[in-house]
Amino acid sequence: MAFEPKIVAFLCNWCAYAGADLAGTSRTQYPPNTRTIRIMCTGRMSPVFILKAFAEGADGVLVAGCHHGDCHYVSGNYGAEKRVNLVSELLPELGIEKDRLMLKWISASEGELFGKTISEFTDTIKKLGPSPLRKK
Amino acid sequence: MAKEKPKSDVSAGKSAVKKAKADGEPKAESKVTDEQPRVGVFVCHCGTNIAGVVDVKDVAKYAGEKIRDVVYSTDSKYMCSEPGQKEIIEAIKEHDLNRIVVAACSPRMHEPTFRRAAQTAGINPYFVDMANIREHCSWVHIQEKEKATEKSKDLVRMSVARARLLEPQEKMKVAVKKSSLVIGAGIAGIQAALDLADMGYQVYLVEKQPTIGGKMAQLDKTFPTMDCAACILTPKMVDTSRHENIELITYAEIKDIKGFVGSFTVTVNKKPRYVLEDLCTGCMDCAEACPVEVPNEFDQGLGSRKAIYVPFPQAVPLIYTLDEDTCIGCGVCKNVCTIEAIDFNQKPEELTLEVGTIIVASGYNVFDPTRKPEYGYGKYENVVTGLEFERLINASGPTGGKLLRPSDGKEPRSIAFIQCVGSRDENTNLYCSRVCCMYAIKNARLYKEKHPECDIYIFYIDIRAFGKGYEEFYKITQEEYGVKFVKGRPSVVYEDEKTGGLILNVEDTMLGRKLEVGVDMLVLSVGMEPGSDTDSLGKMAGVSRGADGFLLEAHPKLRPVDTLVEGIYLAGTVQGPKDIPDTVAQASAAAGRASILMAKGEVEVDPIIAYSVPELCIGCRICERICPFGAITMVDRKAVMNEAKCKGCGLCAGGCPTGAARLRHFKDDQIFAQIHAALAED
Ligand SMILES: Cc1cc2nc3c(=O)[nH]c(=O)nc-3n(C[C@H](O)[C@H](O)[C@H](O)COP(=O)(O)OP(=O)(O)OC[C@H]3O[C@@H](n4cnc5c(N)ncnc54)[C@H](O)[C@@H]3O)c2cc1C
């Protein structure tokens, strides 16, 4: 069977999650490989969430929130950016390719961008193959 | 599906209260709360919206058979409908459910609905979780039915995993101040302010310009009834300034918005007018004496004003303003002002307003046609914008209402209008600006009324005459006034250097032939763009902008004047292009929405806020430093969250190295459970 990646997506309630909703309302089609966890703000992201997802066998992790300056909570997305970048530096130490972690800013009105992001990210992960940590 | 269990004598609602008290203690992190979760899963068909792609029966069956702690699962045509909700309520009672998972649309849509249903059945509303299998699944995987069904099962499993660990929350109530801030005093802000003031609320109406009125004050007549804009607007402007409940703050800008629904603290920067507002009588002596003459913005720069000025004679308030950028400091005005209203030492003033609600009505800009250089605006003198044309035919305009060509001051004998300049155009703005068809038709007709011999062409892509009486207006202009409508977008415009006329090349797409048309004057029907401060105001208010750059409403159909920030509403063209009737309707709607909160005097807010477990807090102060709202203080070297200031982003919880800082309803264990369930069956 062809490799179907499992991607965990953390989406902030106000921008990326709403953008994903808009992708739905606009019937933007994208691959069915993501499993979404809604958080109020990407600022809620703890580095541990990402590591936990990889440890449990995720092939990719997406963190998506509001564009800079658009955060519903002023600066939550800046916090998220720092933490995601930190984890990204750590990943190679764990034998995980950096490209398996993606941070993306998607506004509530960017449904199409949401779909495109998922399509491209899924493609990237497909090319990388299953995560080295994936449970056999 | 699991067998029923006899009802316990303690209702879930009561035990919920007990747990609320236990929360905050370190041991509260234990995986399963004091009662065994009994989860009910309700899978919605949403007609065929979900069921047409996802095998909903299979999902319900899977949930009932394979997911831990699911004691009841079912599917239903419309879960959100009255019968659907009843099904949930009955199932809660019958099967003694204490956690509810609804697999349906986005929680942003119906979470409140299902929370209410849970509450009706006697369980805490926060024991509900939603799996979004419509927007995030059936609608986006239309061709992949099997995979969409698999994904739905995963999403339900994740939702159940989270639901099992949900804790009860009590809604918090906050008081709403009975006062409102309206930002921008165009027709939208004026209407909203008057409505709120008439209801008895204190209104602060803040306007950036020296006068209120906005763009409508610049217009000549208004389609389709042809009433003169000033005649219908100025009485409202005067009412606004005289209303006992309205405090008009002009020549002022918003500096900062803090706080939350019910009690916003707004800082306003009032620019110095160098004229004492209480003393100035608007007598005009100063302006007559002033030797400096500069282009008047109100006339789109076509007329002139003095350095000390009122933008137009009916300005409200009728107080002169000394424009510090153009004043040469000669002091003549001060000498002639007998009441000594001029004060060169005036300083900017900072005001602090406390309000319960905010209406943003900061309006629009017209498109800058130099971005379409092919039409020659800025290069050829006789190419003007629609708004400039309004000033040129306006009796109070720079030419006294006589349309004269800028190049030679002669009345044009032929005029062309080009539609959709900066609208419906891939290179500028994709959207339709909604007013340009009608204002071009209006202005063509106005000129034809006075000059029937003049040839007028309107070059259009489609004529959009959608409002009440608009189509009729268009037909009459075409048939009775003889304005020539040509379907086609001119590719390029040249000037005839000898006459100052313009030559347009266009393909008439109806007749399929190329035309070359020469006219004395060209009017560009420029579209609407977001106002200059839309971005900065949006950021201060926490309201995002749509792809078109205008401020975004909470829901395009059902909440068209609300924003996602509770207590903040939108009125008029700040939300998107619209004409005056729609602007006024929306302004009244925004006032109505704001009044709901103020009439009640209190509002329920989500209790999704942070707290800290003192036993785990090591006093490192990371949370204090990163909190965007200054909601965290250190008490005895332990972090303490201020409930009123916390907005619930969870930045502290994400940054806390020991797990002491937590966000209610989005706790680590709840998110871990979702991650686990996303990737494994159990
Ligand atoms: C050429 C032309 C002709 C038109 N003709 C017609 C017509 O005949 N009939 C019709 O129905 N519609 C017509 N319209 C549309 C009409 O102009 C608008 O519908 C209407 O003016 C919108 O009002 P508004 O209050 O939303 O915005 P605006 O009129 O733009 O008012 C916004 C106000 O907010 C102020 N402001 C901006 N930023 C701030 C800030 N940071 N702080 C405080 N205040 C701020 C501005 O100074 C302004 O006073 C025409 C439009 C154009 C361009």
Side-chain angles (χ1 to χ4, degrees):
Chain A
M1 216 171 65
F3 165 54
E4 283 299 342
K6 285 226 166 182
I7 297 170
V8 177
F10 295 91
L11 309 182
C12 86
N13 182 60
W14 305 100
C15 294
Y17 195 94
D21 278 358
L22 180 62
T25 342
S26 334
R27 310 299 196 273
T28 305
Q29 302 297 302
Y30 56 82
N33 298 69
T34 43
R35 302 294 178 263
T36 293
I37 295 176
R38 179 170 69 120
I39 45 185
M40 294 315 280
C41 176
T42 48
R44 174 68 189 91
M45 281 307 290
S46 156
V48 188
F49 295 166
I50 301 168
L51 297 173
K52 166 100 176 158
F54 282 120
E56 295 264 358
D59 300 303
V61 174
L62 169 71
V63 179
C66 308
H67 288 274
H68 281 172
D70 269 358
C71 177
H72 191 74
Y73 307 96
V74 187
S75 58
N77 50 358
Y78 290 92
E81 187 168 30
K82 279 193 200 144
R83 292 172 197 161
V84 171
N85 288 344
L86 179 83
V87 177
S88 164
E89 292 303 314
L90 284 174
L91 287 182
E93 306 282 326
L94 305 169
I96 302 170
E97 301 87 339
K98 273 191 181 184
D99 287 350
R100 292 188 186 275
L101 173 60
M102 184 182 199
L103 176 69
K104 186 87 183 167
W105 309 131
I106 300 171
S107 80
S109 59
E110 292 174 324
E112 219 167 293
L113 178 65
F114 181 84
K116 194 164 156 254
T117 303
I118 302 295
S119 300
E120 289 174 2
F121 192 46
T122 308
D123 255 10
T124 308
I125 304 293
K126 276 191 176 161
K127 285 197 188 106
L128 287 170
S131 157
L133 301 187
R134 194 166 179 165
K135 286 171 198 140
K136 294 281 139 49
Chain B
M1 254 162 258
K3 279 261 144 32
E4 275 183 53
K5 203 178 83 172
K7 275 190 187 173
S8 60
D9 50 354
V10 182
S11 81
K14 278 184 200 150
S15 63
V17 177
K18 261 193 264 163
K19 265 181 291 160
K21 287 189 189 128
D23 195 18
E25 291 163 20
K27 62 179 186 304
E29 200 70 335
S30 63
K31 282 276 178 229
V32 182
T33 38
D34 56 346
E35 71 190 326
Q36 186 60 29
R38 292 178 58 81
V39 186
V41 173
F42 300 84
V43 186
C44 181
H45 296 214
C46 193
T48 56
N49 279 305
I50 296 171
V53 176
V54 172
D55 184 342
V56 285
K57 292 216 180 293
D58 192 29
V59 175
K61 182 161 172 278
Y62 168 83
E65 289 174 359
K66 294 274 169 62
I67 307 179
R68 186 150 58 103
D69 291 335
V70 173
V71 296
Y72 179 77
S73 74
T74 188
D75 60 281
S76 182
K77 201 119 196 115
Y78 289 103
M79 229 60 249
C80 62
S81 67
E82 196 62 39
Q85 291 185 51
K86 223 167 137 199
E87 236 182 291
I88 297 178
I89 294 167
E90 274 161 16
I92 292 174
K93 293 183 178 154
E94 193 175 326
H95 302 276
D96 199 20
L97 306 174
N98 55 20
R99 296 292 187 282
I100 303 303
V101 166
V102 186
C105 54
S106 171
R108 295 164 48 86
M109 185 87 196
H110 271 308
E111 197 172 53
T113 312
F114 297 119
R115 279 186 177 163
R116 265 198 305 276
Q119 197 162 22
T120 311
I123 67 172
N124 189 283
Y126 289 84
F127 283 159
V128 174
D129 198 61
M130 288 188 74
N132 183 346
I133 61 168
R134 192 179 75 172
E135 282 86 341
H136 290 197
C137 192
S138 67
W139 276 352
V140 290
H141 311 312
I142 295 173
Q143 304 299 338
E144 301 181 272
K145 297 196 160 122
E146 259 169 50
K147 285 180 182 165
T149 303
E150 285 315 300
K151 179 172 173 179
S152 299
K153 289 179 186 174
D154 286 1
L155 292 175
V156 169
R157 198 172 59 238
M158 292 164 71
S159 199
V160 172
R162 171 175 162 78
R164 295 173 64 242
L165 299 172
L166 287 177
E167 292 173 353
Q169 312 288 346
E170 299 299 326
K171 280 248 180 197
M172 302 192 305
K173 283 194 175 149
V174 300
V176 179
K177 294 204 171 78
K178 295 189 187 262
S179 57
S180 198
L181 163 72
V182 178
I183 305 172
I187 183 60
I190 289 175
Q191 183 66 39
L194 282 173
D195 282 1
L196 285 170
D198 281 345
M199 288 183 233
Y201 301 110
Q202 171 67 40
V203 180
Y204 302 98
L205 178 57
V206 175
E207 168 58 51
K208 191 177 175 178
Q209 298 298 328
T211 175
I212 64 173
K215 302 277 190 316
M216 187 175 165
Q218 292 178 274
L219 306 180
D220 184 44
K221 304 282 188 297
T222 53
F223 61 74
T225 44
M226 291 301 204
D227 352 29
C228 106
C231 311
I232 55 176
L233 177 66
T234 46
K236 272 185 183 289
M237 290 165 62
V238 173
D239 287 351
T240 307
S241 72
R242 294 218 178 117
H243 205 295
E244 56 174 7
N245 291 335
I246 299 179
E247 185 175 331
L248 200 56
I249 306 170
T250 49
Y251 211 44
E253 272 177 77
I254 309 295
K255 273 267 128 23
D256 189 32
I257 300 174
K258 280 218 162 56
F260 46 86
V261 56
S263 55
F264 294 101
T265 305
V266 183
T267 318
V268 179
N269 185 22
K270 202 165 160 26
K271 288 174 278 188
R273 266 195 150 97
Y274 303 107
V275 174
L276 300 174
E277 298 196 357
D278 299 341
L279 292 182
C280 176
T281 59
C283 72
M284 210 166 131
D285 288 351
C286 56
E288 272 177 352
C290 175
V292 182
E293 208 157 303
V294 291
N296 189 357
E297 301 81 359
F298 185 79
D299 286 330
Q300 298 300 107
L302 296 168
S304 64
R305 63 162 170 86
K306 297 297 184 64
I308 189 161
Y309 71 109
V310 288
F312 58 103
Q314 302 95 326
V316 170
L318 193 61
I319 296 170
Y320 277 76
T321 301
L322 190 141
D323 167 17
E324 59 183 351
D325 293 337
T326 51
C327 172
I328 54 170
C330 65
V332 170
C333 52
K334 196 175 164 69
N335 296 341
V336 298
C337 183
T338 48
I339 45 169
E340 299 187 14
I342 295 174
D343 173 11
F344 293 137
N345 296 319
Q346 216 176 35
K347 294 273 170 313
E349 208 184 322
E350 204 168 88
L351 311 173
T352 307
L353 308 175
E354 302 282 344
V355 294
T357 56
I358 296 176
I359 294 176
V360 188
S362 56
Y364 70 100
N365 280 354
V366 289
F367 175 79
D368 170 9
T370 57
R371 283 167 59 200
K372 299 284 292 175
E374 61 270 35
Y375 295 150
Y377 180 84
K379 196 160 92 187
Y380 309 138
E381 272 188 278
N382 295 325
V383 180
V384 300
T385 69
L387 195 53
E388 287 165 354
F389 191 87
E390 295 275 347
R391 295 310 303 151
L392 290 174
I393 55 169
N394 195 308
S396 67
T399 53
K402 200 163 181 190
L403 178 65
L404 303 174
R405 291 210 309 184
S407 69
D408 52 13
K410 286 199 185 128
E411 291 196 313
R413 283 150 301 146
S414 53
I415 305 175
F417 291 82
I418 299 181
Q419 296 308 109
C420 299
V421 179
S423 311
R424 305 184 66 196
D425 171 13
E426 282 189 354
N427 300 319
T428 55
N429 297 307
L430 273 180
Y431 54 81
C432 164
S433 289
R434 298 176 62 105
V435 297
C436 325
C437 284
M438 289 308 295
Y439 80 57
I441 296 172
K442 164 187 80 174
N443 287 336
R445 175 157 154 183
L446 277 172
Y447 197 64
K448 269 277 192 188
E449 270 170 8
K450 288 187 198 151
H451 301 274
E453 76 292 348
C454 177
D455 278 329
I456 298 190
Y457 301 87
I458 294 183
F459 296 98
Y460 68 97
I461 312 179
D462 301 289
I463 289 293
R464 298 197 163 167
F466 49 82
K468 201 168 170 171
Y470 292 9
E471 180 68 18
E472 296 86 329
F473 187 80
Y474 160 43
K475 280 280 164 268
I476 290 176
T477 308
Q478 185 173 30
E479 286 160 11
E480 291 177 21
Y481 287 79
V483 172
K484 299 186 186 86
F485 287 80
V486 182
K487 191 172 167 77
R489 190 176 226 164
S491 51
V492 65
V493 172
Y494 298 103
E495 185 182 41
D496 178 339
E497 281 175 27
K498 274 183 267 154
T499 64
L502 291 315
I503 299 153
L504 288 72
N505 281 308
V506 59
E507 186 182 332
D508 182 334
T509 56
M510 292 269 248
L511 303 176
R513 56 169 193 195
K514 287 205 161 65
L515 293 178
E516 194 179 86
V517 181
V519 289
D520 288 346
M521 194 171 177
L522 173 62
V523 186
L524 303 179
S525 294
V526 286
M528 290 186 170
E529 288 198 321
S532 322
D533 295 345
T534 311
D535 193 39
S536 62
L537 283 173
K539 280 182 178 147
M540 277 189 258
V543 178
S544 13
R545 303 209 280 161
D548 52 13
F550 293 95
L551 291 187
L552 201 61
E553 64 282 1
H555 189 281
K557 299 181 195 85
L558 302 177
R559 297 177 63 196
V561 304
D562 298 5
T563 68
L564 287 173
V565 185
E566 234 189 318
I568 301 188
Y569 307 87
L570 305 175
T573 49
V574 72
Q575 181 257 346
K578 46 181 78 64
D579 55 18
I580 296 164
D582 285 0
T583 297
V584 171
Q586 199 190 23
S588 285
R593 295 290 292 169
S595 76
I596 293 177
L597 291 185
M598 294 192 287
K600 260 182 153 175
E602 61 176 22
V603 60
E604 280 193 340
V605 293
D606 254 346
I608 300 176
I609 51 170
Y611 66 98
S612 172
V613 181
E615 287 79 356
L616 296 178
C617 178
I618 53 169
C620 71
R621 308 184 74 164
I622 291 178
C623 58
E624 184 192 12
R625 187 165 47 78
I626 57 181
C627 175
F629 307 104
I632 304 178
T633 45
M634 303 303 287
V635 178
D636 291 337
R637 308 181 68 189
K638 303 272 180 201
V640 175
M641 279 69 167
N642 177 329
E643 290 199 351
K645 284 188 178 169
C646 175
K647 292 205 179 184
C649 60
L651 201 57
C652 54
C656 178
T658 67
R662 294 174 184 179
L663 180 66
R664 290 185 202 281
H665 213 55
F666 289 90
K667 290 169 69 171
D668 281 358
D669 62 333
Q670 294 161 349
I671 294 173
F672 286 154
Q674 276 174 289
I675 297 172
H676 176 79
L679 298 159
E681 288 240 66
D682 218 340

